[in-house]
Amino acid sequence: MPAMSPSRRPPRRALIEREYGPFDDRPTHGIAYDGRRLWIAAGKDIQALDPRSGAIVGSLPVASDAGTAYDGRHLYQLTGEKIQRIDTQTGQIVGTIPAPGRGRDSGMTWAEGKLWVGQYRDRKIHCIDPKTGKIIKTIECDRFVTGVTWTGGELWHGTWEDDASELRRVDSDSGEVLERYQAPEGVNITGLSSDGDCFFCGSGPEGRVRALRRPGRS
């Protein structure tokens, strides 16, 4: 009998490693990890969180209502119908490109010189040129797409549909689901990033960030 596809098998339950917040009634949308800090799209600004202490250690005065990405030097922030490139030292916006979904975008991440941008209700992830916004390729997903991240050479995205969320590893060419982990009951995932061990997940209007771990990962 052929093995059951991961998309049809019951998902395993992700584990809550740590919880941060809530943060002064601010939402937590996009999240990007720069190796030291978590940058959190908090609506009116982007906040920097030290994941070791749990303290907010800075902020950038940039509107932020969806995904956040980091390329090793700059942040990229989805705001309305555009993606803004931001100098993390000064907070200055140093470039702008159109967002592929024209305001229907969700998560975003950086990998190998490209931006990967989720489309929530369209159930898609676009790979785009960070200089022009041109769509290079698109993969189809079978659930709503929230946060998007690459970690360990793998493409992952969050879902939030029917009051339930999952972490999903998908094939970056076909969109095929390769692994699934269900978030604990009552935990919904918006933004998504990873330090290689844990997934850092935003919670939208709840205003928290949670570090989720896959079972069996120490």
Side-chain angles (χ1 to χ4, degrees), residues 25-170:
D25 297 321
R26 293 171 182 258
T28 51
H29 299 304
I31 297 180
Y33 181 63
D34 70 2
R36 295 188 301 117
R37 298 160 296 186
L38 290 170
W39 293 95
I40 304 167
K44 295 180 179 179
D45 59 6
I46 305 171
Q47 297 193 326
L49 170 70
D50 180 343
R52 293 166 291 277
S53 69
I56 297 296
V57 294
S59 65
L60 302 175
V62 179
S64 54
D65 54 22
T68 311
Y70 180 69
D71 69 359
R73 180 181 177 188
H74 295 101
L75 286 176
Y76 292 80
Q77 179 59 55
L78 277 162
T79 303
E81 298 185 3
K82 59 191 175 183
I83 298 171
Q84 300 183 115
R85 183 161 54 99
I86 305 154
D87 186 317
T88 58
Q89 299 300 313
T90 66
Q92 180 180 0
I93 297 170
V94 295
T96 301
I97 58 174
R102 299 298 194 272
R104 301 189 310 276
D105 312 272
S106 52
M108 183 168 60
T109 192
W110 173 274
E112 299 179 344
K114 305 293 188 295
L115 287 169
W116 296 72
V117 185
Q119 307 291 285
Y120 178 60
R121 292 188 178 275
D122 292 340
R123 304 185 184 192
K124 297 178 180 179
I125 300 173
H126 297 301
C127 175
I128 70 169
D129 186 316
K131 295 181 180 178
T132 65
K134 179 181 178 181
I135 295 175
I136 298 168
K137 70 175 179 179
T138 298
I139 62 173
E140 304 279 346
C141 302
D142 65 4
R143 298 281 286 180
F144 290 165
V145 176
T146 57
V148 180
T149 195
W150 278 85
T151 181
E154 300 171 344
L155 177 60
W156 290 78
H157 76 83
T159 70
W160 184 353
E161 193 168 344
D162 299 328
D163 290 326
S165 282
E166 291 183 7
L167 294 168
R168 291 185 162 205
R169 179 167 71 92
V170 298

Side-chain angles (χ1 to χ4, degrees), residues 5-6 140 169-179:
S5 165
E140 304 279 346
R169 179 167 71 92
V170 298
D171 187 285
S172 60
D173 291 315
S174 68
E176 177 188 358
V177 178
L178 304 175
E179 288 185 78

